Amino acid sequence: MTDLRYDGNRVSSTNQAVMLDFGGYAKGYALDRAAGILRGARVEAALINIGGNILAIGQPGAHPWKVGIQNPRGAGTVAVVDLHDNEAIGTSGDYERYFMQDGKRRPHIIDPRTGETTDLVASVTIITSGGPDAGTRSDGHSKPLFVAGPRHWEAMAARLGLGQVMLIDAGRNVYMTPAMRHRISQ
């Protein structure tokens, strides 16, 4: 972080090894943009999936969309939730992008307080709704909960105004808000 140089809204570095990755928000932003285009074309029902982050437009007939939450430590899903119009679901986990170092899993999510990865959480899934940025919020807000970990995720969820959260820790313990528990249909 000390290699970064700031000039207004421009960030640069003289260190060629420094790279910035905005993937923590890009998929969510792409969801919102795609939803805007589809709604502008008068599409009444669609499920937009960009890299596992999903946003619903309308519903397929009389029932809401059904979306699975991936098991971070095995095949299949750990739960299925209903997704309604203008709701987005986003998951951050340590199981897609990571490397092993000294027998320890190192995910791509870094704690900005320490500059280190965390090995306490396997995945965090949140559902957001309403407004033109439900996708961006579903993607971006899962990262602070991942970093907060099993001890502090509830306080961070409250701070961010998130009512529908599922956290699975590295020991495979599952934590949920009451609202998320009511969403599970499996």
Side-chain angles (χ1 to χ4, degrees):
M1 297 303 287
T2 59
D3 288 333
L4 296 179
R5 303 292 176 257
Y6 303 93
D7 181 16
N9 61 3
R10 181 185 165 113
V11 180
S12 62
S13 176
T14 56
N15 182 342
Q16 292 183 9
V18 171
M19 296 181 347
L20 298 177
D21 178 359
F22 297 102
Y25 291 89
K27 290 189 290 182
Y29 178 74
L31 283 175
D32 294 331
R33 294 283 296 137
I37 291 167
L38 292 173
R39 284 192 175 99
R42 300 192 192 329
V43 170
E44 294 181 11
L47 197 60
I48 306 165
N49 183 342
I50 299 178
N53 290 53
I54 300 170
L55 188 139
I57 296 174
Q59 62 184 37
H63 302 287
W65 299 97
K66 299 270 186 202
V67 176
I69 299 173
Q70 184 174 340
N71 181 344
R73 292 292 184 263
T77 59
V78 294
V80 174
V81 297
D82 292 340
L83 209 57
H84 301 275
D85 185 38
N86 204 29
E87 287 186 329
I89 186 167
T91 299
S92 290
D94 72 351
Y95 53 94
E96 293 284 337
R97 294 190 294 177
Y98 71 95
F99 64 93
M100 298 298 290
Q101 182 181 36
D102 301 324
K104 193 172 184 179
R105 185 181 295 258
R106 300 286 187 169
H108 68 292
I109 300 171
I110 296 172
D111 185 335
R113 299 167 296 189
T114 64
E116 297 290 327
T117 61
T118 177
D119 63 350
L120 301 176
V121 176
S123 70
V124 173
T125 300
I126 66 172
I127 297 175
T128 58
S129 62
D133 64 344
T136 301
R137 287 183 284 121
S138 74
D139 195 14
H141 285 354
S142 59
K143 279 66 170 177
L145 285 112
F146 190 97
V147 170
R151 291 184 56 212
H152 303 289
W153 72 272
E154 288 178 287
M156 181 59 73
R159 182 174 168 197
L160 295 172
L162 300 172
Q164 300 176 69
V165 179
M166 173 191 287
L167 182 141
I168 302 174
D169 72 15
R172 300 182 185 188
N173 298 300
V174 178
Y175 307 87
M176 281 186 262
T177 58
M180 183 63 109
R181 190 169 283 111
H182 288 37
R183 298 288 299 251
I184 303 297
S185 63
Q186 182 174 339

